Amino acid sequence: MFIQLITVGNLKEKYLVQGIAEYAKRLTRYLKFQMIEVADEKAPDTLSEAEVSGVKAREGERILAHVKEGAHVIALAIDGKLWSSEELAAEIDRLGTYGTSHVVFVIGGSHGLSDAVLSRAQQRLSFGRMTLPHQLMRLVLVEQIYRAVKINRGEPYHK
């Protein structure tokens, strides 16, 4: 299986970079993993609703440019489904069992994801109603993908 994580913006915080690198390294024992960072839009802190839509649209175009035809896309969105670690593991297993070899998780920028990206996604996943920094979500998601792989293989880690 090939799992991609497409995110908006460059990760600069050393502790997050190191954490993601550690889980990505662990994942390579089990599957092909790749993280792609697309440029975020430089914008002032205060934007009109139309300007926010424009920012999300431009970032969305960059995201979609990396999504291959036939890939199964799971967008992280606050209105998505809440899955437990076991449910994420079961979904990854189900996708692989029924012929989906390429899964793409998408994390938007600080304004979220464009309607075009959300429309392209087959599923929406939420980690809860709390707002978390999109940079931190990268680490949380990569750890959860690793945990899901370990659950599916019946290997120790999941507690």
Side-chain angles (χ1 to χ4, degrees):
M1 179 172 271
F2 177 33
I3 294 183
Q4 279 184 306
L5 173 55
I6 302 175
T7 65
V8 174
N10 293 326
L11 195 57
K12 296 174 187 78
E13 293 83 358
K14 189 175 180 179
Y15 71 98
L16 293 174
V17 171
Q18 290 172 334
I20 291 167
E22 177 61 29
Y23 285 110
K25 182 177 81 174
R26 292 181 190 186
L27 275 170
T28 59
R29 291 185 54 214
Y30 305 104
L31 50 80
K32 184 178 178 190
F33 178 78
Q34 178 185 42
M35 190 169 84
I36 298 171
E37 295 177 329
V38 300
D40 58 344
E41 283 291 306
K42 305 301 178 214
D45 288 339
T46 56
L47 299 173
S48 69
E49 206 169 298
E51 290 169 321
V52 168
S53 290
V55 165
K56 291 193 305 187
R58 288 185 294 279
E59 290 173 349
E61 288 171 7
R62 292 183 195 119
I63 290 168
L64 292 173
H66 292 282
V67 176
K68 303 287 188 238
E69 188 174 328
H72 184 89
V73 177
I74 301 173
L76 270 65
I78 203 156
D79 65 345
K81 285 188 145 188
L82 295 169
W83 289 341
S84 66
S85 297
E86 294 81 7
E87 288 170 322
L88 175 61
E91 185 59 21
I92 289 172
D93 187 55
R94 184 190 71 78
L95 289 168
T97 299
Y98 292 101
T100 300
S101 60
H102 186 184
V103 178
V104 178
F105 289 90
V106 179
I107 300 174
S110 58
H111 297 288
L113 292 167
S114 69
D115 290 338
V117 173
L118 293 172
S119 294
R120 173 61 179 86
Q122 284 84 0
Q123 294 174 289
R124 294 183 191 184
L125 171 62
S126 175
F127 278 76
R129 295 184 332 185
M130 290 184 187
T131 301
L132 296 171
H134 59 279
Q135 299 93 340
L136 179 60
M137 275 313 305
R138 296 179 196 190
L139 176 59
V140 173
L141 178 58
V142 174
E143 188 279 335
Q144 284 296 301
I145 294 168
Y146 177 71
R147 183 179 296 272
V149 169
K150 297 295 272 186
I151 291 169
N152 287 340
R153 295 180 59 88
E155 294 179 1
Y157 174 78
H158 170 63
K159 302 239 185 255

